Amino acid sequence: MHTPSPSRRTLLAGTAAAAAITALPAGQGLALAAGTAAPAYRWRNAVIGGTGFVTGVLFHPAVRGLAYARTDIGGAYRWDDRAARWTPLTDHLGWDDWNLLGVEALAVDPAHPDRLYLALGAYAQSWAGNGAVLRSEDRGDTWTRGDLTVKLGGNEDGRGAGERLLVDPRDSDTLWLGTRHDGLLRSTDRGATWSAATGFPGTPSASGQGVTLLVAAGRTLYAGWGDSDGTSANLYRTADGTTWEAVPGRPAGGSAKVPVRAAHDRHTRELYVTYADAPGPNGQADGSVHKLATVSGKWTDVTPVKPGGTTGDGSSDTFGYGGVAVDARRPGTVVVSTNNRWSAVDTLYRTTDGGRTWTSLKDTAVLDVSETPYLKWGEEQPKFGWWIQAVAVDPYDSKHVVFGTGATLYGTRDLKHWAPRIRGLEETSVRHLISPPTGQAHLISGLGDVGVMYHERLTASPSRGMATNPVFGTVTGLAQAAHRTSYVVRTGWGDHGNGARSTDGGRSWAPFAAQPALAKDATGPIAVNTDGSVLLWTFVHRDGTRYPAQRSTDNGATWSEVASFPKGATPLADPADPARFYAYDTDTGTVFASTDAGLTFTARAGQLPSGDSQFQLAAAPGRSGDLWLSTKWNGLYRSTDGGAGFTKLTSCWASYTVAFGKAADGAAYPAVYQVGSTEAITAVYRSDDGARSWVRINDDRHQWGWIGAAIAADPRIHGRVYLATNGRGIQYGEPVR
């Protein structure tokens, strides 16, 4: 998943020890922007369905139909059983708190059904802010925040382990939090303040996994330790909350190196633990499942299938074990998942006799992905799953099982028929957005991990799924010919070519007939001139090396290098003149322009802000040479002479991305939208007077963390804007009319 680069404002996370966040409705709805002049906006997701790693799912043990989910970069959700959809709970987290959209762990209190806790923090790196714990008394509708002095890693290796947050079964005011690099923490005031747990024997490591799981077995607490060498202790317990000991007789060896997840069967008083030789979700080649009789202390190896065999095609069947869930209604009934099993494909195993025998639920599974057809990934049949570390069994329905993957959440009510249970949960990391002026689609998007989507309806996942021929993973470029809107091109990382074109507005695609030789290990953004006769494709190698653009005049059949193009820059086509292209050299702060259809480029305005590859150059539609330059906290600049000169606008002090949409009634200039700052907060703004003044159109309930990648506005509907998020999919807003 994408990591936004930190800025001078990015890391200014809140510092109050327990700052109250008031009345933050969790669902979507009407959003009234700050200030009396601001219009009322409604914000919703353009539906794709999932697309990201669901790292944890938790049914409430005491409330039928209540469940929560966490994701690695897209926040947390609550399941609305009546509506059969997920409600986002963390959209109020804003620009400066982008790091908190990674959820390390969640916890509920069986004795107080309305209480919910979230441990937030995506990265434990030096450039990321510290973590935080949110606590709620109303199931996540409103929150109180307590900031931590340590970092968490909700989007790092081991993010599918856990849960690392636990309410003490002896005292609802006491919480435990396992960290990666700072040991075990304890709070006695429901997460408002934290201190190191006394007596915990794990030695923190700057590079390790630390505490991987916390689980209660009756009144005894167990903590998994991820920094074992395979022979030393990796599971600890305490009966009194003070004295901790290594669990004796523990499994040893590489297959039991890292305890990934654990679940307690209260009927049989047995603890089931999944193990792997690495924390996952990648890098696992060995694993096992063991159960501990908590009364006698006896360990039993109940691994369904040992890794290391061979598959039907002769490849090695390597994998670890990930999720584990017990059936609260049926003693000895347990579901576990394999993880990182790419050759034979991951599966769920289910036992009804305490692990003596197992059945693979994949072998009889009937998958229906019609609601989110992208899950076929260009193949005839979808895969059962991958990156399966989140597994849950409904405590009120033994046949209601759900599991998370790297892109969705599957569920069943009969252990045979499976379908995505993903409505309302959108986790896409969005890179590029186009809103065409004509055609069936109002939106074409370029995404991380799941390629290009063509939205004929914003309220349903694209019926064609992700763009195929070829299938891309992450998209690096997306462009449409301004005067020939049926012509669209895309670039990205694909297994069968890194570039493709469409002649029907993005509904179907064909790969470029040829690619530059360097496209095998490099790709980047692309531009197409107004009539579709010239393509400019620039390249950045996997190792970071940048190259000049390559030019094609025959739809990608042949390519030639443009030596005068600034290496690694993003090409931009003039929206009115087919002979004009532009590029911004962020190394030197210089704008380059071409007046010969991209054959040569010459320097124009210089001494502009430099040093950040995320600075963005945009062109106002229908106007030749009308350029806008967003330079983050350096401000917003405009040129009306094709880049010969730029003027800094004084109406805002920061600008991260800018777009243009249908003009307001009576206005002569297109509506201008930006993610930027006109005051202290970074937000979404609209201007109907050519950027002389701005109104904020999102509000404190709808912020979505880091939103600096892309923005697009609808050329057919005034006021509608599409916003790229890094983990909350495509948000679109429109005035309440």
Side-chain angles (χ1 to χ4, degrees):
M1 290 294 183
H2 176 62
T3 305
S5 63
S7 70
R8 71 178 187 182
R9 296 185 58 78
T10 297
L11 302 182
L12 298 178
T15 57
I21 300 175
T22 60
L24 299 171
Q28 298 168 342
L30 303 186
L32 182 62
T36 57
Y41 255 69
R42 184 185 188 190
W43 289 94
R44 290 173 285 180
N45 270 113
V47 175
I48 300 174
T51 76
F53 188 21
V54 180
T55 53
V57 179
L58 181 63
F59 283 101
H60 199 289
V63 181
R64 181 187 292 271
L66 179 60
Y68 299 95
R70 61 178 168 97
T71 66
D72 55 359
I73 64 169
Y77 294 80
R78 182 184 67 234
W79 177 250
D80 183 337
D81 200 44
R82 180 173 298 178
R85 64 182 297 113
W86 295 95
T87 297
L89 300 179
T90 48
D91 283 355
H92 65 277
L93 294 169
W95 181 272
D96 291 337
D97 287 327
W98 64 266
N99 187 54
L100 301 184
L101 266 291
V103 186
E104 182 81 290
L106 54 85
V108 297
D109 186 344
H112 297 85
D114 291 338
R115 291 183 180 177
L116 174 66
Y117 301 90
L118 301 178
L120 307 179
Y123 301 100
Q125 311 304 313
S126 59
W127 41 261
N130 289 337
V133 171
L134 297 187
R135 57 192 190 276
S136 174
E137 294 278 1
D138 51 18
R139 306 184 184 186
D141 283 343
T142 61
W143 297 99
T144 300
R145 171 172 164 175
D147 286 284
L148 299 171
T149 59
V150 303
K151 301 178 188 297
L152 303 180
N155 192 34
E156 297 193 347
D157 286 348
R159 58 194 182 273
E163 295 296 324
R164 291 178 168 93
L165 184 64
L166 182 68
V167 177
D168 195 307
R170 297 170 300 239
D171 177 9
S172 289
D173 289 338
T174 298
L175 272 68
W176 301 85
L177 175 62
T179 73
R180 293 162 181 269
H181 311 306
D182 297 278
L184 181 64
L185 305 183
R186 182 172 182 249
S187 171
T188 57
D189 53 13
R190 297 190 47 237
T193 60
W194 295 84
S195 59
T198 58
F200 185 73
T203 302
S205 166
S207 59
Q209 282 289 310
V211 179
T212 58
L213 64 89
L214 294 168
V215 65
R219 297 172 65 84
T220 299
L221 307 184
Y222 289 82
W225 187 249
D227 295 341
S228 169
D229 60 4
T231 59
S232 58
N234 57 31
L235 192 66
Y236 298 101
R237 68 185 177 192
T238 180
D240 59 9
T242 301
T243 305
W244 290 84
E245 65 173 353
V247 177
R250 61 196 174 276
S255 66
K257 183 177 180 181
V258 179
V260 179
R261 284 183 173 267
H264 180 241
D265 187 331
R266 62 184 176 86
H267 299 288
T268 65
R269 302 176 75 177
E270 293 172 322
L271 184 70
Y272 291 83
V273 186
T274 57
Y275 287 95
D277 59 346
N282 288 310
Q284 294 176 337
D286 199 1
S288 56
V289 182
H290 296 261
K291 72 174 181 179
L292 170 67
T294 59
V295 176
S296 67
K298 179 184 177 182
W299 282 95
T300 304
D301 186 341
V302 293
T303 307
V305 174
K306 300 289 186 182
T310 56
T311 61
D313 62 4
S315 58
S316 180
D317 187 19
T318 59
F319 57 92
Y321 279 91
V324 56
V326 299
D327 186 338
R329 302 173 68 86
R330 298 184 178 183
T333 299
V334 186
V335 179
V336 300
S337 71
T338 66
N339 186 67
N340 206 45
R341 193 182 195 183
W342 294 104
S343 296
V345 181
D346 280 301
T347 187
L348 300 185
Y349 289 105
R350 182 174 184 261
T351 180
T352 58
D353 55 15
R356 288 190 293 273
T357 60
W358 296 86
T359 300
S360 171
L361 297 182
K362 180 187 71 174
D363 294 347
T364 56
V366 177
L367 292 179
D368 177 6
V369 298
S370 57
E371 188 169 319
T372 52
Y374 78 88
L375 286 170
K376 291 185 178 181
W377 307 101
E379 305 292 335
E380 289 294 323
Q381 298 295 327
K383 289 182 172 61
F384 185 74
W386 69 102
W387 279 18
I388 306 176
Q389 295 189 291
V391 177
V393 178
D394 189 335
Y396 292 89
D397 183 352
S398 297
K399 293 185 177 181
H400 184 195
V401 181
V402 296
F403 69 91
T405 79
T408 194
L409 186 74
Y410 280 114
T412 183
R413 294 281 186 173
D414 62 6
L415 303 180
K416 179 178 179 181
H417 296 87
W418 300 80
R421 296 290 187 264
I422 209 71
R423 292 179 189 175
L425 198 160
E426 301 283 348
E427 202 193 347
T428 321
S429 176
V430 186
R431 310 300 178 84
H432 303 273
L433 296 169
I434 293 175
S435 184
T438 61
Q440 291 181 307
H442 277 262
L443 181 66
I444 306 173
S445 55
L447 313 171
D449 299 334
V450 291
V452 166
M453 298 281 177
Y454 176 90
H455 266 95
E456 295 173 289
R457 293 188 299 146
L458 298 176
T459 55
S461 188
S463 59
R464 295 174 178 83
M466 62 192 295
T468 57
N469 196 26
V471 170
F472 285 173
T474 293
V475 176
T476 59
L478 183 64
Q480 182 177 48
H483 294 168
R484 185 186 165 195
T485 55
S486 61
Y487 194 89
V488 188
V489 291
R490 61 185 172 98
T491 54
W493 295 105
D495 292 335
H496 304 286
N498 291 341
R501 65 186 178 95
S502 172
T503 57
D504 56 11
R507 288 189 293 273
S508 62
W509 297 85
F512 294 147
Q515 297 189 99
L518 57 84
K520 180 180 179 181
D521 296 307
T523 186
I526 194 168
V528 55
N529 67 347
T530 59
D531 60 12
S533 62
V534 179
L535 305 178
L536 282 181
W537 185 4
T538 191
F539 296 86
V540 178
H541 194 275
R542 293 180 188 274
D543 65 8
T545 304
R546 296 176 293 175
Y547 298 92
Q550 295 278 331
R551 179 176 183 268
S552 177
T553 58
D554 51 14
N555 296 311
T558 60
W559 298 87
S560 59
E561 182 180 290
V562 183
S564 54
F565 187 91
K567 292 181 179 179
T570 299
L572 175 69
D574 189 279
D577 185 346
R580 292 179 180 266
F581 284 92
Y582 310 96
Y584 185 57
D585 184 353
T586 58
D587 285 344
T588 63
T590 303
V591 172
F592 286 76
S594 171
T595 57
D596 56 8
L599 276 170
T600 60
F601 281 77
T602 57
R604 293 204 171 178
Q607 297 184 331
L608 292 163
S610 61
D612 194 317
S613 62
Q614 294 180 355
F615 292 166
Q616 297 183 19
L617 188 66
R623 291 161 168 77
S624 183
D626 190 350
L627 306 179
W628 296 66
L629 178 63
S630 295
T631 62
K632 294 189 173 181
W633 55 86
N634 296 293
L636 179 63
Y637 295 76
R638 184 183 177 192
S639 171
T640 56
D641 54 12
F646 278 82
T647 300
K648 185 175 183 179
L649 279 67
T650 59
S651 58
C652 64
W653 67 266
S655 179
Y656 296 86
T657 186
V658 68
F660 309 89
K662 184 178 180 180
D665 291 343
Y669 197 81
V672 186
Y673 301 81
Q674 72 160 332
V675 173
S677 301
T678 66
E679 46 186 315
I681 192 169
T682 299
V684 188
Y685 294 89
R686 189 186 86 209
S687 174
D688 290 328
D689 59 9
R692 288 189 295 274
S693 63
W694 301 90
V695 291
R696 183 185 175 195
I697 58 175
N698 72 323
D699 64 86
D700 289 348
R701 295 171 297 171
H702 302 84
Q703 299 195 78
W704 318 287
W706 188 77
I707 50 176
I711 191 172
D714 202 303
R716 291 175 269 182
I717 302 174
H718 173 255
R720 181 186 283 180
V721 61
Y722 306 92
L723 183 66
T725 76
N726 184 50
R728 277 290 288 121
I730 304 165
Q731 301 286 337
Y732 72 99
E734 48 195 351
V736 178
R737 303 184 189 279

